[in-house]
Amino acid sequence: MAKVLFIVSGASYWVVKDGSRYATGYWAEEFANPYRILTDAGHEVVVATPDGVIPTPDMMSLRPAMNGGIDGALRMESIIREAEAMRRPLRLSDVRLEDYDAVYLPGGHGPMADLAFDADCGRLLRQQLASGNPLFIVCHAPASILSTRIHGESPFTGYRMTCFTDEEEEAVGVAAIAPWLLETDLKAKIGVQFSRGPIWEPFMVEDRNLITGQNPASAAVLGSRMVEILKGA
């Protein structure tokens, strides 16, 4: 049995262009699907957040329309409710990476409010990348890579990856109010080699030990890939 660290946003809102608070958090599907895939395979999941705050789901992500209907929404709620690790998260500052076989970061707009600027998150991502152990990041969670810069330099420069695209941000109506766009900033400020698939379709990029997914639909793909990699470890 492997032990997987989930680094989850602790944000419940994001300050947008006009200074107002946009309600957010982590995206339910991006936590629930990999969590269920991993735990069904017998692996242990531990959650860590900035300051050890209990993560807030983006309520939009629990709507039936976002989960293929009422049954899908109830399934998401059930997985999250039964996930004891979400009720007792570690502080990022207390995490010892040597205790874990892999690291995973779910998205939602929450990471753009906290993980993108969190020094402990940046330290852990730099260490995990250097260790050669698997690092999985999906949707908006690659915002956390911005926190890896020291004097403007990041070890993620030149890596092939994907994230929630600017086109998808426009499609959900958030681009117009966003203080910054994830795809744009990862290209400009980190210098990643960016690729993408069609909007809303699962898309995964694997470069050495960094595995990234484009959008919520990609989370289950990353979860299955985690199980494959852990099985071969």
Side-chain angles (χ1 to χ4, degrees):
M1 181 182 74
K3 195 172 182 181
V4 181
L5 176 70
F6 277 33
I7 296 178
V8 183
S9 170
S12 59
Y13 65 87
W14 184 30
V15 178
V16 293
K17 276 183 182 177
D18 66 1
S20 63
R21 293 183 173 188
Y22 177 83
T24 186
Y26 69 89
W27 199 257
E29 177 181 0
E30 297 171 25
F31 168 81
N33 282 341
Y35 177 86
R36 175 55 58 84
I37 290 167
L38 286 165
T39 55
D40 281 354
H43 302 304
E44 179 184 357
V45 170
V46 175
V47 171
T49 65
D51 297 321
V53 302
I54 296 175
T56 299
D58 187 318
M59 297 311 295
M60 180 82 71
S61 70
L62 292 171
R63 292 182 179 180
M66 295 293 176
N67 292 285
I70 292 175
D71 288 346
L74 291 174
R75 174 179 170 274
M76 289 295 146
E77 288 187 16
S78 175
I79 294 170
I80 292 168
R81 186 170 56 251
E82 294 171 8
E84 180 65 28
M86 287 294 253
R87 293 191 288 276
R88 45 180 178 80
L90 302 177
R91 293 175 176 265
L92 285 180
S93 57
D94 293 337
V95 167
R96 290 164 36 96
L97 283 179
E98 55 266 35
D99 295 337
Y100 304 96
D101 300 286
V103 173
Y104 170 69
L105 286 78
H109 283 102
M112 297 182 75
D114 60 359
L115 299 184
F117 312 102
D118 189 279
D120 289 312
C121 182
R123 172 180 54 81
L124 292 170
L125 294 190
R126 289 193 301 270
Q127 291 176 357
Q128 185 70 6
L129 192 70
S131 74
N133 293 326
L135 174 58
F136 297 84
I137 317 179
V138 75
C139 200
H140 288 92
S144 61
I145 291 173
L146 294 167
S147 70
T148 65
R149 291 173 292 169
I150 297 176
H151 305 303
E153 301 292 329
S154 169
F156 288 82
T157 298
Y159 270 75
R160 292 184 293 105
M161 64 169 297
T162 190
C163 71
F164 198 72
T165 63
D166 291 353
E167 183 183 2
E168 285 167 315
E169 206 72 88
E170 290 165 4
V172 296
V174 176
I177 63 170
W180 53 282
L181 294 174
L182 181 55
E183 176 189 339
T184 294
D185 274 24
L186 285 174
K187 291 174 180 175
K189 296 182 178 179
I190 301 296
V192 301
Q193 296 185 48
F194 187 82
S195 60
R196 52 163 290 180
I199 64 171
W200 315 133
E201 295 296 321
F203 185 75
M204 179 177 73
V205 175
E206 189 165 341
D207 185 357
R208 289 158 278 184
N209 62 320
L210 175 65
I211 302 96
T212 51
Q214 179 174 317
N215 47 33
S218 306
V221 177
L222 264 66
S224 296
R225 182 64 180 134
M226 268 189 267
V227 170
E228 289 176 359
I229 290 175
L230 292 170
K231 188 181 296 184

